[in-house]
Amino acid sequence: MPDHLPRRQVLRTAGALGLGAAAAGALSTTATAATATPDKLAAMGAHHGKLEIRKDPFGTTPDGKKVDVYTFSNGRVTISMLTWGATIQRVETPDRRGRVKNISLGFDNLPDYAALSPYFGATIGRYGNRIAKGKFSIDGTSYQIPINNGENALHGGTTGFDKRVWSAKTVQTSKAVGVAFSYVSPDGEMGFPGELTTTVAYTLDREDNLRIDYHATVKGKPTIVNLTNHVYFNLAGEGSGPIDRHVLELAASKYTPVDAGLIPTGELAPVAGTPFDFTKPTAIGARLRGDHPQLVVGRGYDHNFVLSSKVGSDGLRFAARFWEPEDGRTVTVHTDQPGAQFYSGNFLDGTFRGIGHKAYRQGDAFAFETQHFPDSPNQPNFPSTVLRPGQTYKTSTVYTFGAK
C-alpha cells in the first residue's frame, strides 16, 4: 500500500507523535545498535542450521520508552525486528551463489522510523489499508478515524500500530525461533471502539519460512480489525534500484478497481486481458508504464487482489511468488486471507536514505500485504472485518525465502 506518505504528510505524522522536524531528531538512538548490527548478523549467520536469537537496544522515544531490536536466525536467513511498530527492519538471505544481502527496506535509527518511514516493515493496525473519509458504522453507531491520506484514513490513522512501542517475548522451540509482540489499544484510540488486545508472533523455521500469526480480541464494544505487515522487498538487495525485472506470479483472477482517492469502487473486476493479470509469471515492469486507467490513478500497482487459489490442509492458500532473475532470490507467500495489496513502490521519491545509506526512489521495492479488502466497513459486498466481544481474530501468513 502506498503506503506512502508525501514528505509533508510525514512531518504531520511526526507531529502526531509529538515530534516536530527538530524534535524528531531528539530521539536518542543507541549507537552500538546501529553500527554493530551487521557484524552481529554475520556472526549469527555463521552457525548454519542453528536457531539463534539475541536482543539489543535500538533507541529511546521522547517519553522514555526503550526500543529494542531482536535478531533471530536459522543459520541461513537472518531477521531483525524492532519493538517500534513490531517492525521487520532487516531480512538477510542468500542468492543462488550463497551471497547474502539485506532485501528489506528500512532505517538504521529510530528518529528516521518515527519521522520518515512510509510503514517500512511495520505491523499495521487497527485497520490496514484505506477507509473512505475515515468513517464507518457498526450497529448504527458512527465512528471517525483521523484522516491521513488525502480525504481518507490509511493504516489505522495518524498514529497507528506502526508508531507504537510493543511489548515483546522471545519464542524458541526445536523447530523455530522468533518474537511474539503484544499491544493493547484502548477504547477510542484513533477513534476505534473497544479495547483491542493484539499479539503478533513472527517465527522463522529451519526451512526458511517466516510465519506471522495474528491474534486479537476486543472488550466492551465491537470494532473492526484488519492486521497486516508492510515489509518492502527488493530481492536484489535494498537500495539496489528498480524492481521492474522481478517476476511475479499472483494467484488472483480478480482485483478491486479504485477511484481517484484509491478507494475501491466495490467492483470485483477480472484481471484477464489487463495489466493486472499475473496468473502466469510476468515481469513487474512489463506493463507498469502503460496507459491503463487504473495504473494511471495508482501511479502504478497499488491495488487489492482477490485471491483465488484453493486452501490447503494447513488452512493456507498460495498467494504469490516473486523472483529476481539475476541473483535468483525468491519469496513465496501463503495466507488464509481473502486478499492482498500489491504495491510497486510508486510513491518512494528519493527524499530519504535507507539502512544501506542509499536513496529509495520510485519503483525500488514492492510490498505485498495480505489482508481483508480496503474499505470493507463501507462495502457490504466485501468480507466483513467486524470483531465482536467474545470472538477471536486469528489469521496467518507465511513468507518462504529461497533462490533458484
Side-chain angles (χ1 to χ4, degrees):
M1 159 103 316
D3 311 34
H4 54 272
L5 292 176
R7 189 173 182 81
R8 62 180 179 277
Q9 180 65 47
V10 163
L11 293 177
R12 289 194 209 111
T13 299
L17 289 166
L19 300 167
L27 283 158
S28 66
T29 302
T30 304
T32 54
T35 59
T37 297
D39 291 339
K40 293 171 182 175
L41 294 176
M44 294 182 74
H47 302 287
H48 184 73
K50 185 177 181 180
L51 300 176
E52 299 179 287
I53 186 167
R54 64 179 300 150
K55 171 186 171 182
D56 294 288
F58 189 76
T60 305
T61 66
D63 60 356
K65 293 180 180 178
K66 293 182 179 180
V67 174
D68 295 317
V69 53
Y70 285 81
T71 302
F72 49 98
S73 176
N74 65 3
R76 177 179 172 85
V77 174
T78 301
I79 312 281
S80 294
M81 295 197 67
L82 310 176
T83 53
W84 174 270
T87 293
I88 296 173
Q89 184 207 22
R90 301 173 67 105
V91 178
E92 301 267 353
T93 67
D95 66 7
R96 67 165 69 94
R97 298 176 182 86
R99 299 173 300 187
V100 175
K101 286 185 179 180
N102 171 35
I103 61 171
S104 171
L105 274 60
F107 297 106
D108 62 4
N109 64 87
L110 185 56
D112 280 353
Y113 274 107
L116 300 175
S117 180
Y119 307 101
F120 286 150
T123 298
I124 303 297
R126 287 188 191 188
Y127 196 92
N129 220 304
R130 295 177 175 84
I131 298 175
K133 297 181 175 19
K135 297 179 179 180
F136 65 93
S137 62
I138 302 176
D139 300 336
T141 300
S142 297
Y143 300 95
Q144 176 70 59
I145 310 305
I147 301 305
N148 62 334
N149 184 247
E151 62 179 10
N152 304 312
L154 175 67
H155 293 335
T158 50
T159 313
F161 287 7
D162 60 296
K163 299 174 186 67
R164 307 293 182 179
V165 178
W166 295 56
S167 61
K169 181 179 180 181
T170 296
V171 176
Q172 189 162 11
T173 69
S174 61
K175 296 181 179 180
V177 64
V179 184
F181 297 93
S182 298
Y183 177 70
V184 178
S185 175
D187 178 25
E189 184 175 72
M190 289 290 101
F192 290 98
E195 179 187 276
L196 188 75
T197 299
T198 300
T199 299
V200 186
Y202 290 80
T203 52
L204 176 68
D205 68 17
R206 297 182 184 276
E207 285 70 50
D208 301 339
N209 299 304
L210 177 64
R211 183 181 179 96
I212 311 174
D213 292 304
Y214 303 88
H215 180 282
T217 56
V218 67
K219 292 181 180 179
K221 303 172 186 176
T223 191
I224 57 171
V225 183
N226 191 25
L227 304 176
T228 190
N229 181 277
H230 207 304
V231 61
Y232 286 66
F233 286 121
N234 185 318
L235 301 183
E238 64 87 30
S240 63
I243 46 97
D244 287 16
R245 296 184 68 236
H246 283 48
V247 174
L248 169 60
E249 179 184 0
L250 207 173
S253 59
K254 295 180 180 180
Y255 76 107
T256 53
V258 295
D259 63 19
L262 300 182
I263 296 293
T265 63
E267 178 186 8
L268 303 183
V271 301
T274 78
F276 295 83
D277 189 352
F278 288 95
T279 53
K280 294 182 179 179
T282 305
I284 291 173
R287 300 163 298 192
L288 182 60
R289 289 162 183 81
D291 61 358
H292 190 283
Q294 285 293 302
L295 290 178
V296 173
V297 74
R299 296 175 61 176
Y301 297 105
D302 190 8
H303 295 76
N304 171 69
F305 285 76
V306 182
L307 300 177
S308 54
S309 57
K310 293 183 179 180
V311 175
S313 58
D314 59 356
L316 305 179
R317 58 160 59 91
F318 168 72
R321 180 176 295 106
F322 295 83
W323 174 51
E324 195 282 308
E326 183 171 346
D327 293 333
R329 290 186 187 86
T330 63
V331 60
T332 304
V333 186
H334 288 80
T335 187
D336 56 12
Q337 289 290 274
Q341 187 87 3
F342 170 48
Y343 171 54
S344 54
N346 317 326
F347 295 89
L348 297 173
D349 61 5
T351 56
F352 48 77
R353 295 179 180 271
I355 197 169
H357 305 291
K358 295 181 180 179
Y360 298 147
R361 304 187 186 282
Q362 186 179 45
D364 277 0
F366 69 86
F368 192 77
E369 306 148 69
T370 56
Q371 61 177 14
H372 271 56
F373 303 167
D375 199 37
S376 287
N378 299 310
Q379 305 276 357
N381 59 321
F382 286 1
S384 175
T385 55
V386 173
L387 178 69
R388 298 181 180 278
Q391 296 179 332
T392 300
Y393 174 97
K394 291 179 67 176
T395 178
S396 299
T397 293
V398 177
Y399 292 94
T400 302
F401 302 104
K404 67 175 183 177

